[in-house]
Amino acid sequence: VFDFFAGFVKNFGWVVLLLTLFIRLVTAPLTYSSYLSGAKMKVLRPELDGLKKKFGEDQQGFAMEQMKLFREAGVNPLGGCIPALLQIPIFFALYSFFNSNIALRGQAFLWSSDLSSYDVIAKLPFNVPMGFGDHISLFTITAVLTSFFISIYNMSMTPTQDNPALKYMPYIFPFMLLFIFNRLPSALTWYYTVSNVITLGLQFVIQNYIINHDKILANIEVKRKAPKKQSKWQEKYTQM
């Protein structure tokens, strides 16, 4: 796919952008299903807040009622994680590709002088440990900032968490990416930036203009009222 786009686009930075659009188009059905799951979580939020007030410090009771609510509504609480998980194998495949593609070497794009290596907008007078190095990459900054905005948006769509690890995850994950990305090829951090911008745009458009939250709530109510069919294992468990 990269070679196909490179056949009629000379600048490899724009080739990476087209490649990113292609990847996001192919993965669009799974992405949409995750956004739909996020929309279901959003319409259930008032009920979840009510359960939280009802159970107070009883975290176990709240968790059981929360899972019961999700089951009745047909909601997968981990559905919003699909885009992030989906990007992991793609990211490592692109990491291998961009590091081994000789054609990228010496190719300039925007402020990067070599897409096969990290871009440098500032040199530090010291070396930062944990793999950060002695420089600052602007493509890394754009990738980390867009990841931070996505994390904040996703947290606003899910129920509030008392677990500090989950509450501060939107801040921890982008901070970790800062150290991971700073020495990666700029073609890869440019890909991640474009992919994140597409994600932010899709989330806004789908959540505000495509998904009908009133219709989702009506469908959830229908599912609740429908008779629940037990599996053979559940029937046997009930008998026992």
Side-chain angles (χ1 to χ4, degrees), residues 10-79:
K10 291 184 179 180
N11 190 296
F12 277 22
W14 299 119
V15 173
V16 173
L17 184 143
L18 292 173
L19 178 66
T20 310
L21 292 173
F22 173 80
I23 291 171
R24 295 309 305 268
L25 183 65
V26 171
T27 58
L30 287 174
T31 304
Y32 177 78
S33 67
S34 72
Y35 293 160
L36 187 60
S37 177
K40 290 180 180 178
M41 294 284 287
K42 186 177 181 179
V43 298
L44 289 176
R45 196 160 184 176
E47 292 188 54
L48 289 167
D49 289 341
L51 287 175
K52 200 170 185 64
K53 289 180 181 179
K54 177 181 176 182
F55 286 93
E57 298 297 323
D58 184 5
Q59 293 296 317
Q60 186 176 357
F62 170 73
M64 291 178 66
E65 285 299 316
Q66 180 180 244
M67 293 309 298
K68 181 182 176 183
L69 178 62
F70 289 159
R71 189 167 57 249
E72 288 178 348
V75 174
N76 179 7
L78 299 178

Side-chain angles (χ1 to χ4, degrees), residues 133-150:
D134 60 352
H135 67 279
I136 297 174
S137 164
L138 184 54
F139 275 133
T140 294
I141 300 297
T142 57
V144 168
L145 283 177
T146 49
S147 295
F148 175 73
F149 293 142
I150 290 172

Side-chain angles (χ1 to χ4, degrees), residues 75-232:
V75 174
N76 179 7
L78 299 178
C81 299
I82 292 175
L85 295 174
L86 192 64
Q87 283 207 55
I88 293 174
I90 295 172
F91 184 83
F92 280 108
L94 290 173
Y95 172 79
S96 176
F97 175 71
F98 290 144
N99 271 301
S100 61
N101 193 333
I102 298 174
L104 282 172
R105 296 179 185 176
Q107 293 290 328
F109 178 67
L110 298 179
W111 52 82
S112 174
S113 59
D114 185 355
L115 285 171
S116 67
S117 181
Y118 51 79
D119 62 290
V120 180
I121 60 157
K123 290 289 287 185
L124 302 174
F126 51 85
N127 190 67
V128 180
M130 298 175 63
F132 188 88
D134 60 352
H135 67 279
I136 297 174
S137 164
L138 184 54
F139 275 133
T140 294
I141 300 297
T142 57
V144 168
L145 283 177
T146 49
S147 295
F148 175 73
F149 293 142
I150 290 172
S151 297
I152 292 295
Y153 183 86
N154 288 337
M155 285 295 287
S156 70
M157 298 293 292
T158 54
T160 54
Q161 300 283 350
D162 288 331
N163 189 331
L166 295 175
K167 188 180 293 185
Y168 295 108
M169 190 57 69
Y171 311 99
I172 297 171
F173 181 65
F175 182 74
M176 291 169 56
L177 291 181
L178 186 63
F179 288 85
I180 297 169
F181 283 4
N182 200 50
R183 300 187 73 167
L184 293 184
S186 52
L188 190 59
T189 45
W190 166 236
Y191 156 81
Y192 207 78
T193 299
V194 175
S195 183
N196 285 345
V197 170
I198 293 171
T199 297
L200 287 167
L202 284 175
Q203 284 181 334
F204 180 79
V205 172
I206 290 174
Q207 295 288 354
N208 292 281
Y209 298 103
I210 296 177
I211 292 177
N212 188 327
H213 292 82
D214 293 333
K215 188 177 179 180
I216 289 174
L217 187 59
N219 290 337
I220 288 174
E221 291 300 326
V222 170
K223 284 184 179 180
R224 278 177 172 168
K225 294 175 182 177
K228 303 295 185 295
K229 185 178 180 181
Q230 288 187 329
S231 65
K232 290 184 178 180

